[in-house]
Amino acid sequence: MASGLFVGLATLDVVGYVDRRPDVDEKVEAADMWTGAGGPATNAAVTFRTLGGTRDC
């Protein structure tokens, strides 16, 4: 089995769902929200693990 260590940019993605697109300078309340990990290093690590790799810790 291959092992890997990924170093780089990791982000927290926050997505707000709205019922309609707001007009210019208008605020709307989100109907729902989703958060998840993102960024190139995180995406590479998730793909590596999905393909059968193991973590190197």
Side-chain angles (χ1 to χ4, degrees):
M1 267 191 183
S3 62
L5 174 65
F6 298 88
V7 179
L9 181 66
T11 63
L12 175 66
D13 297 338
V14 179
V15 178
Y17 296 98
V18 295
D19 294 328
R20 62 179 179 79
R21 185 176 179 170
D23 291 330
V24 176
D25 293 331
E26 180 186 17
K27 294 180 182 178
V28 294
E29 186 175 339
D32 199 3
M33 190 170 131
W34 175 85
T35 58
T42 305
N43 293 340
V46 169
T47 301
F48 180 79
R49 179 69 176 165
T50 301
L51 295 175
T54 61
R55 60 184 186 173
D56 190 22
C57 304

